[in-house]
Amino acid sequence: SVRGYRMNSLGPRSAAGNVIGGDRFYQGSTELRYEVVDRVQLLTFLDLGSVWLDSIKKQRIDFGTGVGVRYSS
């Protein structure tokens, strides 16, 4: 999944604007974590991905970036 996008919202669309899905995809993610205090981390991330139909051969790379706080319980 690409953070910042709803599930099944990426990919080729029909003429009506509905997502039709695809037969090819890739995704990647990187995350940097910084220890703030014991068991609390500040993080930054970059996610990217694409879904496409092999028959169309047109790809668009979607990406999401952000920051967050993580607590290790």
Side-chain angles (χ1 to χ4, degrees):
S1 69
V2 177
R3 286 177 270 196
Y5 293 89
R6 289 188 329 251
M7 183 66 97
N8 299 321
S9 66
L10 301 179
R13 296 182 179 270
S14 68
N18 300 317
V19 177
I20 58 174
D23 54 6
R24 304 281 190 264
F25 84 98
Y26 64 84
Q27 67 182 38
S29 180
T30 187
E31 188 173 282
L32 297 174
R33 299 179 189 175
Y34 308 93
E35 191 79 26
V36 178
V37 293
D38 187 38
R39 298 171 32 174
V40 177
Q41 299 171 337
L42 178 65
L43 59 96
T44 61
F45 67 86
L46 168 66
D47 292 351
L48 59 90
S50 184
V51 177
W52 71 96
L53 289 166
D54 190 47
S55 60
I56 295 176
K57 308 257 189 241
K58 183 178 178 184
Q59 298 178 43
R60 185 182 90 199
I61 299 173
D62 294 295
F63 64 94
T65 61
V67 296
V69 176
R70 178 163 293 170
Y71 176 74
S72 298
S73 59

